[in-house]
């Protein structure tokens, strides 16, 4: 991926314990679109790097999905399970409003519909508020999972000649809203699930609901499987983990799965088929785009179903040029952006 950013904004108000970052990567195709994440980072530097990578990923995700938006991301530094939230999100909303539509936010890791309602008190440049398309019946998470499910089927067809999920062993890392919904789709089709999560209650629930086999978080990467599906935090594919992979396909919902761009080439060299994350997990941003356009759930599903064709085009380009699927996806997105 090419790295150039339009804006990087640091926000702080010690009186309310507020520290945040807004990264706007590119707005050539339209306003920067990307959710607000709240997380307790090990350092401010890591928070900045996360915001930058996520914003760039949103630019590529919108472009390759044919959406008229650029990419951005907001990050609030803090524990999402502790402390008052209204003042923090209203402070963020005030700054977003000052940007006059250059950046539109929404839910992400560690944030909720209620948080977006606080932002909405300060600005109209926010999605996923109460009653919105993305908030109703958790459609954003459902469509993200649905897109990943369709992407897994497309990947199976490319790797095995058939998109059949039945009896395929699929290892799902992370059982949040998206990962859990993905398990639901896969189990309906007869997949054999191996799952993990840092939350033991979620892990037990998946075992009970889906007949899944449980693994400890640090063991899931090396589970023998047809598909490894990362659905937790980014950077999971790195120098330490790639050599442990025991799968034919990587296809999951997590953002920024490759710790560095070169890791896409490493995976390609091992003969593992990688479904680029910003292609396969675009269902959420598609819901947001449809919401902003005044569309409904049916329109969101219809557009999400195009992920299969987009991913197949990426695979075809990679094959034709003898390059990694990660590089192929980047080339397609950059051509669409005009960079």
């Amino acid at each position: 991926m090419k790295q150039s950013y339009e804006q990087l904004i640091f926000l702080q108000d010690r009186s309310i314990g507020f520290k945040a970052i807004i990264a706007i990567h590119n707005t050539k195709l339209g306003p920067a679109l990307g959710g607000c994440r709240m997380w307790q980072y090990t350092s401010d530097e890591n928070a900045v790097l996360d915001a930058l990578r996520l914003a760039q990923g949103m630019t590529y995700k919108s472009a390759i999905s044919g959406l008229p938006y650029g990419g951005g991301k907001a990050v609030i530094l803090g524990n999402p399970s502790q402390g008052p939230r209204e003042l923090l999100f209203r402070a963020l909303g005030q700054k977003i409003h000052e940007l006059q539509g250059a950046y539109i936010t929404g839910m992400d890791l560690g944030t909720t519909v209620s948080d977006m309602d606080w932002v909405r008190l300060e600005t109209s440049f926010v999605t996923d508020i109460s009653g919105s398309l993305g908030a109703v019946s958790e459609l954003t998470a459902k469509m993200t999972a649905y897109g990943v499910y369709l992407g897994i089927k497309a990947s199976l067809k490319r790797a095995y000649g058939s998109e059949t999920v039945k009896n395929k062993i699929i290892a799902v890392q992370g059982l949040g809203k998206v990962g859990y919904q993905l398990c639901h789709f896969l189990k309906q089709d007869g997949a054999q699930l191996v799952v993990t999560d840092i939350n033991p209650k979620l892990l037990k629930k998946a075992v009970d609901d889906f007949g899944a086999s449980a693994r400890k978080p640090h063991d899931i990467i090396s589970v023998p499987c047809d598909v490894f599906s990362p659905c937790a935090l980014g950077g999971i594919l790195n120098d330490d983990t790639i050599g442990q992979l025991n799968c034919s396909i990587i296809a999951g919902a997590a953002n920024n799965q490759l710790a560095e761009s070169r890791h896409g080439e490493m995976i390609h060299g091992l003969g593992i088929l990688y479904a680029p994350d910003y292609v396969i997990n675009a269902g959420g941003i598609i819901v947001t785009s449809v919401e902003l356009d005044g569309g409904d759930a049916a329109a969101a599903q219809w557009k999400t179903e195009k992920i299969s064709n987009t991913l197949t085009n990426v695979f075809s380009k990679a094959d034709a040029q003898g390059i990694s699927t990660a590089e192929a996806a980047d080339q397609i997105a950059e051509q669409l952006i005009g960079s």
Side-chain angles (χ1 to χ4, degrees):
M1 288 186 182
K2 297 179 180 179
Q3 297 184 359
S4 59
Y5 295 83
E6 294 180 4
Q7 294 190 63
L8 180 60
I9 303 163
F10 296 89
L11 307 170
Q12 185 166 1
D13 185 340
R14 290 189 175 89
S15 68
I16 59 173
F18 175 66
K19 183 184 287 188
I21 301 158
I22 298 175
I24 298 177
H25 176 252
N26 188 293
T27 58
K28 285 185 178 179
L29 298 180
L33 198 58
C36 172
R37 172 170 295 197
M38 186 174 185
W39 197 250
Q40 193 167 23
Y41 292 89
T42 55
S43 68
D44 290 358
E45 180 182 13
N46 286 339
V48 172
L49 291 174
D50 199 31
L52 290 172
R53 293 195 70 205
L54 288 165
Q56 184 171 1
M58 295 307 297
T59 297
Y60 283 58
K61 186 181 300 189
S62 289
I64 206 164
S65 300
L67 306 179
Y69 294 99
K73 210 74 175 182
V75 169
I76 296 179
L77 286 71
N79 190 330
S81 64
Q82 295 180 359
R85 303 171 77 94
E86 177 181 357
L87 295 179
L88 304 182
F89 285 92
R90 293 189 70 165
L92 179 68
Q94 290 168 14
K95 183 59 184 180
I96 290 172
H97 193 68
E98 291 176 11
L99 295 173
Q100 299 181 340
Y103 168 61
I104 303 169
T105 198
M107 283 192 295
D108 200 285
L109 181 69
T111 59
T112 66
V113 172
S114 297
D115 297 329
M116 297 306 106
D117 288 343
W118 294 128
V119 174
R120 183 64 180 85
L121 292 177
E122 304 295 338
T123 184
S124 61
F125 302 114
V126 58
T127 63
D128 300 327
I129 62 175
S130 294
S132 67
L133 182 64
V136 173
S137 301
E138 297 185 340
L139 187 66
T140 298
K142 184 176 181 180
M143 284 299 102
T144 302
Y146 183 53
V148 173
Y149 160 72
L150 295 175
I152 287 175
K153 294 180 71 173
S155 300
L156 287 168
K157 186 173 183 179
R158 166 65 178 78
Y160 296 121
S162 170
E163 65 177 20
T164 301
V165 173
K166 187 175 182 179
N167 294 327
K168 290 295 188 291
I169 300 172
I170 301 179
V172 179
Q173 179 194 46
L175 297 167
K177 292 178 181 178
V178 174
Y180 191 85
Q181 182 65 56
L182 175 62
C183 288
H184 174 75
F185 286 128
L186 293 169
K187 185 62 178 179
Q188 280 187 324
D189 270 7
Q192 297 181 35
L193 298 175
V194 183
V195 298
T196 196
D197 196 276
I198 59 174
N199 185 330
K201 291 182 179 180
L202 288 176
L203 190 57
K204 183 179 185 304
K205 182 173 173 58
V207 170
D208 292 343
D209 291 352
F210 306 122
S213 175
R215 293 290 188 276
K216 294 180 179 179
H218 61 272
D219 291 336
I220 196 73
I221 193 79
S222 59
V223 167
C225 59
D226 296 291
V227 181
F228 172 55
S229 186
C231 296
L233 294 176
I236 186 61
L237 303 172
N238 54 55
D239 289 337
D240 295 328
T241 61
I242 288 175
Q244 301 176 46
L245 290 167
N246 199 358
C247 61
S248 299
I249 297 166
I250 301 169
N255 287 311
N256 296 331
Q257 293 170 26
L258 303 176
E260 299 178 34
S261 296
R262 63 186 177 84
H263 291 127
E265 189 61 37
M266 287 178 63
I267 292 167
H268 175 66
L270 293 173
I272 297 173
L273 180 64
Y274 171 59
D277 48 38
Y278 63 80
V279 179
I280 195 173
N281 70 9
I285 200 69
I286 289 170
V287 171
T288 300
S289 175
V290 169
E291 176 184 322
L292 291 169
D293 198 37
D296 58 12
Q301 180 169 330
W302 177 72
K303 288 192 174 184
T304 299
E305 288 171 351
K306 295 183 178 182
I307 287 174
S308 291
N309 288 336
T310 303
L311 189 57
T312 299
N313 289 338
V314 170
F315 294 157
S316 296
K317 183 178 180 66
D319 287 344
Q321 297 187 11
I323 58 177
S324 71
T325 55
E327 176 62 22
D330 285 355
Q331 287 185 14
I332 293 171
E334 287 162 4
Q335 183 176 13
L336 291 166
I337 296 164
S339 61

